[in-house]
Every structure is written in structure tokens, then in C-alpha cells.
Amino acid sequence: MKDIISVAVVNFKVNAADKENNLSRMCGYAEAAAKRGADLILFPELCLYGYDFYVDEDVTQADKILTAETISGPSCAALAEVAGKYGIYIVFGMAEKAEDTADSVLYNSAVAIGPDGVIGSYRKMHPFETESIWCEKGDRPFMFDTPWGPVSVGICFDTYQFPELQRYYCAQGSRLYLNPTAVVEEIPKEGSRQAFIDYYAPTLEYGVLCNTIYVASSNLTGRDIVNYFGGGSCMIGPAISPFYETGLHYYCGNKNNVQEELFIATIDLSLATRRLFTSKEITGVPDYRPEIYKQFI
């Protein structure tokens, strides 16, 4: 299993409800990232068409269904062509029309594509408020195999309010967690930028500090139809530290940046020790005790 990987994240400004334009720029960003040495590129939640269209209650469900695609559809095929040409992995958010259910069933999904084509999708388990009006709740975790081991995925609200998902992935061996997201900066409210940072950053940092893994986050930025998104895309992970406690380092991007931009970091996944999940010298067993937690339910 390889340790050194280059990961790209994007502050992506959607062209609202213009799939053709968004897809073209996503392919361009993926190609540019590959030429700069990226092995994997992460795009935000629902970046293929934009976020606001789907949460708009004045847009009919029928119209939302018309814009959605299956993972065997043309958008995934276009990105798979780029991934195959450059030998990279691409993860991005879209409204997914499930091939194994009725056409009316939609999911807020993150699709994983590799050098050999479409791998699969993660369907958001915890849709946020009005998202539940248009999409079904996913019910399965999702990891995909790479030369760097299993890479795991959660979407936005999954990451910020449900740490159980990330912890499950860590217990299964993941050292890199991907967070395609759509977090709003609620301008023109006074202090909106700080409110965005105070919510967004600590929840990501907690995943690193608690689970000793890497977290890549890619957020929408700028105005969609109604909402103004906060950017802040970044790669954070464990820092080399003289102390036993896990240190934290921003490897690329930062929580303050709203500009549409591509960030790339080369990281060493061997620093992701997943300390809670490895057997301890003193006890011979991990600190993590899922057999006990099951009794609480």
C-alpha cells in the first residue's frame, strides 16, 4: 500500500443550473490538477448542477428528476474519460437518479471515478433540512479501493454532525476521508464570515485530532441562485509533533479563502496512524470498543 499521494480540492463556483458549463469546467480542473501531479481531485456537493435548484420548493420534483443522471450517464462518462486519460481519481457531487429503483427516486450523491471508470456512489445518509424534500436518505457507507488503501466519503452534514460515520471508516482502515460539501456564508448578516469559519473548521479539525487521519474538504463558493457559499476548501491532517496528542496541519487551502481556486497537497498517509483503532502495547487491544457501543442502542 502506497503512502505518498497528491490530493486536489476545489473552491468551485457553480454556474447555476447550467450542467454543460459546470461539467466542462470540472473536466478542465481535473485535467489541470492531473498535469500538476494530483492523484485524486475532490469537487463539492451537488456541483454538477448547483445546490439551490434542488432545495427550491418552487421547482417541481419532476423538473428536478429531469436534471438528475444515473452514474452510467453522460456526465460521469465525460469525467471518466479524463480520469482514464490521466490515471487519476475524481470524486464529485450530483443529484443521482438510482438505476436500481423507480425513476422518481433521487439521492444527493458523491460519485467516485477511477482510472478504469466509474467506481460507484455514496448517497448522503443525513440530508440537511429541505434536502429531505427532494432526495431519499442513503443507507450505506462507501469506501473505494486505491493504491493508497481505502478512501472514504461523507457529504457535508454527515461530516459536521454525525462523527460516527467517519469513525466507522477509520475502523475499516481508511486513512483519507473526503468531504464534498455546500456550506453557506449567510451574508449580509454581520459576522457571517466568522460564523461560517466557527462552524466549518472545528468540525473538520475534530476529525483529524480525534481519529488521526487526513480530511479533504471541497466547498462551493460564491453565489449560486440564492445562497452565497463560503469556500474554505482545504486538506488538513496530522502534524509532526513532539507531544503524544495529535497535532493538526493545513496542508493546502485555508478556511478563509472564498476565491474560486484549485489547491493541491502532497501528503504522507503513514502519518495517519488511526491511533484509536490499533492494538496498544499495554493492553494488546485497540481503545475503540464497538462491541460495547452496540449495547447502548
Side-chain angles (χ1 to χ4, degrees):
M1 187 167 62
K2 295 182 178 180
D3 290 321
I4 309 303
I5 182 173
S6 293
V7 179
V9 296
V10 185
N11 270 354
F12 189 75
K13 168 72 172 69
V14 298
N15 194 330
D18 188 343
K19 184 188 296 183
E20 183 178 350
N21 177 274
N22 293 329
L23 179 61
S24 175
R25 291 186 295 118
M26 289 164 64
C27 288
Y29 267 123
E31 182 174 357
K35 289 179 178 179
R36 290 173 57 185
D39 300 299
L40 182 153
I41 182 169
L42 174 65
F43 290 97
E45 178 181 11
L46 293 174
C47 61
L48 185 60
Y49 205 78
Y51 183 90
D52 287 355
F53 176 84
Y54 293 104
V55 298
D56 187 345
E57 296 180 41
D58 291 332
V59 178
T60 67
Q61 185 70 5
D63 285 340
K64 293 171 185 177
I65 290 168
L66 285 175
T67 68
E69 296 183 24
T70 67
I71 62 173
S72 61
S75 295
C76 288
L79 287 162
E81 183 176 351
V82 177
K85 179 178 180 180
Y86 292 99
I88 63 172
Y89 292 84
I90 301 171
V91 177
F92 73 100
M94 74 172 200
E96 179 192 359
K97 187 184 299 181
E99 294 176 298
D100 55 351
T101 61
D103 286 345
S104 60
V105 177
L106 300 182
Y107 293 95
N108 181 343
S109 295
V111 181
I113 298 172
D116 297 324
V118 177
I119 299 168
S121 67
Y122 169 74
R123 295 167 176 173
K124 191 173 184 178
M125 288 187 184
H126 307 98
F128 179 69
E129 297 195 358
T130 53
E131 291 173 22
S132 295
I133 295 172
W134 70 269
C135 70
E136 299 292 324
K137 296 179 185 289
D139 58 10
R140 294 189 302 274
F142 177 78
M143 296 194 299
F144 58 97
D145 291 329
T146 74
W148 302 270
V151 174
S152 53
V153 184
I155 300 175
C156 200
F157 201 42
D158 291 326
T159 302
Y160 308 128
Q161 298 295 332
F162 301 94
E164 300 90 343
L165 180 62
Q166 190 178 104
R167 178 147 293 174
Y168 165 80
Y169 287 138
C170 293
Q172 298 301 309
S174 178
R175 301 184 293 175
L176 173 59
Y177 175 87
L178 307 181
N179 178 49
T181 190
V183 182
V184 172
E185 178 183 343
E186 298 186 27
I187 60 171
K189 293 182 180 179
E190 183 178 354
S192 67
R193 186 65 196 170
Q194 191 59 49
F196 163 82
I197 292 171
D198 287 347
Y199 173 78
Y200 174 74
T203 49
L204 297 178
E205 293 169 357
Y206 171 81
V208 174
L209 295 173
C210 189
N211 295 312
T212 328
I213 59 164
Y214 285 89
V215 175
S217 185
S218 185
N219 194 20
L220 297 173
T221 196
R223 184 74 63 189
D224 190 343
I225 298 172
V226 176
N227 286 310
Y228 183 87
F229 290 91
S233 300
C234 57
M235 162 62 71
I236 59 178
I240 295 174
S241 169
F243 305 103
Y244 176 77
E245 291 78 10
T246 302
L248 175 78
H249 182 67
Y250 276 74
Y251 287 84
C252 73
N254 68 76
K255 52 197 173 188
N256 292 299
N257 195 325
V258 184
Q259 179 60 41
E260 184 175 45
E261 192 170 349
L262 172 74
F263 308 97
I264 298 179
T266 300
I267 58 175
D268 181 356
L269 291 174
S270 70
L271 296 179
T273 58
R274 299 167 38 257
R275 191 175 66 211
L276 297 179
F277 313 95
T278 56
S279 295
K280 294 299 182 284
E281 183 178 350
I282 297 173
T283 63
V285 295
D287 292 330
Y288 182 59
R289 303 178 67 192
E291 71 283 355
I292 298 296
Y293 313 143
K294 291 176 183 177
Q295 299 178 29
F296 302 162
I297 299 175

